[in-house]
Amino acid sequence: MLKKKKIFWQLFPSYLLIIFISLFLVTTYSSNLFTHFYQEQILIELKERAYLIENQISKDFYPLNVDNIRVLTDKISKKILTRITIILPSGEVVADTEEDPLSMDNHTNRPEIQMALSGKDGFSTRFSHTLKENMVYVTVPVYVNNKMTGIIRTAMPSTLIEKTLTKAYFEIILGGLLVAFIGGAINYNLSKKISQPLEQLEHKARGFAAGNLKERLPEFDLEEINNVAYSMNEMAEQLNERMQIITHQNAEQETILSSMKSGLIFIDPQKRITKLNTSAAKLLNLDIEEVYGKKVKDTIKNIEFYKFISRALENRKSIEKEIPLGNDKEKHCIQLYTVPIFDEKEARTGTLIVLNDITHIKRLETIRQDFVSNVSHELKTPITSIQGYVETLIDGDMNDPEEIKTYLGVIKKHTGRLKAIIEDLLSLSRIEQGASGSEVTFETINIRDVLTNAVQTCEQKAELKSIKMNLACNNELKCSVNPLLIEQAIINLIDNAVKYSEESSSVLVEAFRQPGEIVIKVRDHGCGIPEESLSRIFERFYRVDKARSRKQGGTGLGLSIVKHIVQIHKGQVDVKSKPGEGSCFYIHLPEPA
Ligand code: ADP
């Protein structure tokens, strides 16, 4: 990528270069001009001095008065600080303010003298062998009566001119540098004036991009930059409003997603999880924050689920499947449903997976199926017997009244059993309906009265087996119950206690208060229940010993009815039992507040 330069470093050096180039050109031009001008001036001045000297000494040329000339030239030279040389047209030097003329050679071949001899003003810059330095010479011819009588030469050391020029150059350069410095400072300020607001714009733009949309840019002096700042402020305002709407919508969406019972997982075409709600995380035992952006394969270790997702991503239509999830302890049945997501160009952008925990529905389905097969089985036995005996009666000897009586007796027993099963089923269904509806009414009653009624109902059966019934309950103990239902539950428990006890044993029916609850206890000393059956005896039609239960006229529904009645009262029923020692059933009812 091309290396980016700051705008300041673009502007400042360019301006500086322009300043230096222009200063260099101006300085060179002006110093050249000045040198030329100065040299011209020096020549003019030397010429003027020569003419002035001519005025003073021309009278001494004819007749030639060398002494006078020498005195005058010496005098003038001291005043005007100029070397003066007087030369005759023959080239002979008659006077010189710096040297003895007698020691000087003939000057005819000097260029300035040559020019003067030709009648013109002459000049020359050259090395003086007499003075051993560079000199500027100017010569003017002197005419007396139109006849050239001599040449006046004025001279000045060129070092003097060079010194003056050097000083002038130095001042010009100093002035140039001062101008460059001032120009540079102005240029620096100007560049900063442009680059600083741009840097501010850049800084704020970064802030906007980072989400600081409440900040604003100040007003700027430069109109164009101020316009940009105004537009950026407006843009931030609009973005802020939109962000607020989006944040609000997101919060709404999050609330909807997290409050949904169904699990939702959004997966992108690369099989990465882009979103999932609380229910899905709970069902799949995942940490919401941890799985975002990760591949399904690395997060959900369930081959069936992974295969389903792969199939869903390949499919442009919704698909459905039920899969088992969870461990041995807690198994779930999950119904999966996919919704493919497309963008406006019909390109696949992801897939939504909907998860529904149908474990409960599945269990209910199994219970219903078991119930139907159990009921059919329970009803089939007495009906088959009845059918068999009726057929035997039809085919048999109709004249043997004893036989007919025996058969009819068996048929009666089985119809009685059928009736008992149907009655128990009906009451179970009534209780279940009551549990879902609100027709069950509660009243605060004396528990002892309920227990007494139940004991009385079962007394006759107990007496047949010489079983002693004991009742222990405080007269004052009260509880809010449906009296008929609770009495029915206690009757079922006492009936079982009598049914599964040996003759001449005893049954204790007791009620007492415990912190926060009333406990009704039915204790017997009967056959007891094996440990492996304890958790199942409250299921419909479950019996530890089918033959024994049937012989006792049991339907396998008694404890199921008890459980439902207690549930309606928002209580609990449990059992403690040891085979051979007896059983103890407890009904826990919440105490009225
Ligand atoms: P059943 O009509 O067969 O008595 P229940 O639902 O009342 O049906 O009881 C289920 C099973 O629990 C019984 O078949 C019996 O095996 C066992 N059971 C119930 N109560 C007692 C008890 N007090 N002593 C021993 N076993 C019992």
Side-chain angles (χ1 to χ4, degrees):
M1 208 172 78
L2 215 71
K3 198 168 179 306
K4 299 284 181 294
K5 255 194 203 169
K6 288 214 167 231
I7 194 156
F8 175 80
W9 292 114
Q10 289 273 18
L11 294 177
F12 183 60
S14 321
Y15 285 153
L16 217 57
L17 193 71
I18 293 170
I19 290 174
F20 277 121
I21 291 173
S22 15
L23 269 177
F24 175 76
L25 291 176
V26 169
T27 314
T28 321
Y29 180 72
S30 58
S31 45
N32 277 343
L33 208 69
F34 178 75
T35 310
H36 194 69
F37 174 77
Y38 185 67
Q39 281 170 346
E40 286 273 297
Q41 280 302 310
I42 290 291
L43 289 179
I44 291 169
E45 223 167 272
L46 284 174
K47 200 190 275 180
E48 278 172 358
R49 284 177 198 177
Y51 278 116
L52 282 174
I53 295 163
E54 187 200 1
N55 271 344
Q56 300 271 325
I57 62 165
S58 59
K59 60 179 185 336
D60 292 317
F61 271 91
Y62 198 78
L64 184 70
N65 186 344
V66 175
D67 292 336
N68 239 357
I69 289 172
R70 283 187 186 159
V71 172
L72 273 173
T73 49
D74 278 345
K75 216 163 126 190
I76 296 165
S77 168
K78 271 180 196 132
K79 279 187 184 163
I80 60 172
L81 298 172
T82 309
R83 180 186 173 191
I84 305 165
T85 313
I86 309 297
I87 301 131
L88 295 179
S90 59
E92 182 195 343
V93 180
V94 286
D96 189 280
T97 52
E98 303 284 326
E99 271 295 323
D100 180 9
L102 294 176
S103 63
M104 292 168 74
D105 56 357
N106 192 296
H107 273 42
T108 315
N109 54 353
R110 304 285 198 276
E112 70 277 7
I113 304 295
Q114 290 278 318
M115 288 162 90
L117 285 175
S118 65
K120 286 183 261 167
D121 296 339
F123 67 91
S124 156
T125 304
R126 60 186 170 76
F127 186 76
S128 159
H129 293 282
T130 319
L131 297 178
K132 308 284 182 242
E133 64 177 322
N134 272 329
M135 296 291 285
V136 178
Y137 299 99
V138 170
T139 48
V140 290
V142 182
Y143 290 95
V144 179
N145 300 331
N146 286 333
K147 192 178 173 237
M148 190 186 289
T149 50
I151 296 163
I152 299 172
R153 188 177 76 173
T154 48
M156 204 182 255
S158 70
T159 44
L160 200 75
I161 301 164
E162 275 156 22
K163 259 188 204 163
T164 314
L165 279 176
T166 312
K167 204 177 153 215
Y169 289 154
F170 181 72
E171 274 170 18
I172 288 172
I173 289 171
L174 204 72
L177 282 177
L178 193 72
V179 170
F181 179 76
I182 294 169
I186 293 170
N187 163 28
Y188 180 86
N189 272 340
L190 201 71
S191 302
K192 274 273 166 212
K193 217 176 168 181
I194 296 169
S195 71
Q196 253 172 3
L198 286 174
E199 275 169 21
Q200 254 179 294
L201 288 185
E202 186 220 353
H203 179 74
K204 274 283 146 66
R206 279 183 198 280
F208 290 160
N212 302 330
L213 295 169
K214 290 210 170 117
E215 286 183 23
R216 292 290 172 268
L217 279 156
E219 279 202 15
F220 292 98
D221 297 340
L222 297 172
E223 197 190 336
E224 290 86 347
I225 291 179
N226 199 43
N227 287 347
V228 175
Y230 180 78
S231 305
M232 277 175 70
N233 280 346
E234 269 205 338
M235 180 192 75
E237 181 82 45
Q238 284 181 8
L239 271 178
N240 194 28
E241 271 174 28
R242 277 179 208 170
M243 281 301 284
Q244 273 176 355
I245 294 171
I246 292 171
T247 314
H248 184 69
Q249 282 174 346
N250 267 354
E252 269 180 6
Q253 220 178 54
E254 278 301 320
T255 318
I256 294 169
L257 286 183
S258 59
S259 61
M260 271 179 82
K261 269 202 143 184
S262 298
L264 298 176
I265 308 179
F266 293 87
I267 294 171
D268 69 10
Q270 285 74 42
K271 293 188 193 167
R272 277 185 307 234
I273 297 176
T274 52
K275 202 168 186 59
L276 87 164
N277 71 348
T278 328
S279 301
K282 228 190 238 173
L283 279 174
L284 298 166
N285 203 12
L286 297 173
D287 186 325
I288 294 187
E289 301 302 322
E290 268 183 23
V291 298
Y292 277 150
K294 288 201 180 150
K295 293 234 172 196
V296 177
K297 192 168 58 179
D298 303 329
T299 46
I300 305 167
K301 308 275 183 214
N302 183 303
I303 294 179
E304 280 209 58
F305 191 89
Y306 184 68
K307 277 187 189 162
F308 176 77
I309 285 176
S310 305
R311 201 153 65 84
L313 288 178
E314 284 159 15
N315 243 304
R316 284 181 74 85
K317 282 188 183 155
S318 294
I319 56 169
E320 222 180 306
K321 191 180 166 101
E322 284 172 17
I323 62 158
L325 271 185
N327 47 28
D328 288 343
K329 265 191 190 168
E330 215 183 329
K331 276 210 182 314
H332 286 278
C333 181
I334 309 291
Q335 185 196 45
L336 300 174
Y337 178 76
T338 66
V339 184
I341 307 168
F342 300 97
D343 64 11
E344 65 278 5
K345 286 178 194 148
E346 287 294 302
R348 185 76 169 263
T349 53
T351 306
L352 168 67
I353 315 270
V354 186
L355 296 91
N356 280 314
D357 188 354
I358 53 164
T359 318
H360 185 61
I361 299 168
K362 281 276 163 191
R363 199 167 44 230
L364 284 180
E365 225 169 72
T366 319
I367 290 172
R368 192 186 58 80
Q369 280 166 2
D370 286 355
F371 179 69
V372 171
S373 80
N374 282 339
V375 170
S376 320
H377 183 74
E378 291 298 325
L379 295 177
K380 202 177 156 194
T381 321
I383 286 172
T384 317
S385 297
I386 293 167
Q387 193 185 22
Y389 282 105
V390 171
E391 277 167 10
T392 318
L393 272 177
I394 294 168
D395 299 339
D397 186 0
M398 290 294 227
N399 297 325
D400 186 350
E402 268 314 303
E403 203 178 285
I404 292 174
K405 205 176 167 190
T406 315
Y407 288 168
L408 285 176
V410 178
I411 290 170
K412 189 184 168 206
K413 198 182 103 195
H414 283 299
T415 48
R417 182 165 167 68
L418 273 180
K419 191 176 167 230
I421 292 173
I422 288 163
E423 268 174 2
D424 273 357
L425 280 174
L426 282 174
S427 61
L428 197 59
S429 134
R430 264 200 305 275
I431 292 161
E432 274 180 352
Q433 268 174 16
S436 59
S438 56
E439 60 261 43
V440 180
T441 51
F442 293 85
E443 48 186 284
T444 307
I445 47 132
N446 212 320
I447 290 288
R448 194 184 169 90
D449 294 344
V450 186
L451 297 190
T452 312
N453 287 346
V455 169
Q456 274 172 3
T457 313
C458 300
E459 223 154 32
Q460 210 187 353
K461 240 183 176 177
E463 269 169 18
L464 286 174
K465 287 175 90 174
S466 311
I467 290 173
K468 196 167 176 285
M469 304 267 270
N470 297 312
L471 177 67
C473 179
N474 189 324
N475 269 337
E476 313 302 316
L477 200 60
K478 288 195 174 4
C479 192
S480 168
V481 291
N482 179 293
L484 283 178
L485 286 179
I486 226 60
E487 192 180 311
Q488 171 74 61
I490 299 164
I491 289 172
N492 284 10
L493 291 181
I494 300 173
D495 188 55
N496 278 354
V498 173
K499 262 194 313 198
Y500 300 105
S501 289
E502 298 306 318
E503 286 195 2
S504 309
S505 69
S506 67
V507 171
L508 170 67
V509 181
E510 196 186 346
F512 53 89
R513 170 176 284 126
Q514 256 186 198
E517 60 179 11
I518 305 285
V519 183
I520 300 168
K521 173 176 158 188
V522 178
R523 167 128 189 64
D524 66 57
H525 301 279
C527 63
I529 305 159
E531 207 186 330
E532 64 274 15
S533 298
L534 283 176
S535 60
R536 301 201 58 195
I537 53 172
F538 294 98
E539 287 175 18
R540 289 164 187 173
F541 296 113
Y542 183 82
R543 280 161 291 189
V544 179
D545 181 347
K546 278 203 169 149
R548 181 168 181 169
S549 159
R550 222 168 266 152
K551 208 172 114 200
Q552 301 284 344
T555 59
L557 294 167
L559 286 182
S560 200
I561 293 170
V562 173
K563 191 176 119 185
H564 276 90
I565 291 174
V566 175
Q567 273 175 356
I568 287 175
H569 287 81
K570 303 210 171 9
Q572 272 180 335
V573 58
D574 57 39
V575 57
K576 281 184 187 145
S577 180
K578 263 196 179 159
E581 283 184 22
S583 313
C584 192
F585 284 84
Y586 299 89
I587 293 177
H588 300 266
L589 296 172
E591 204 177 11

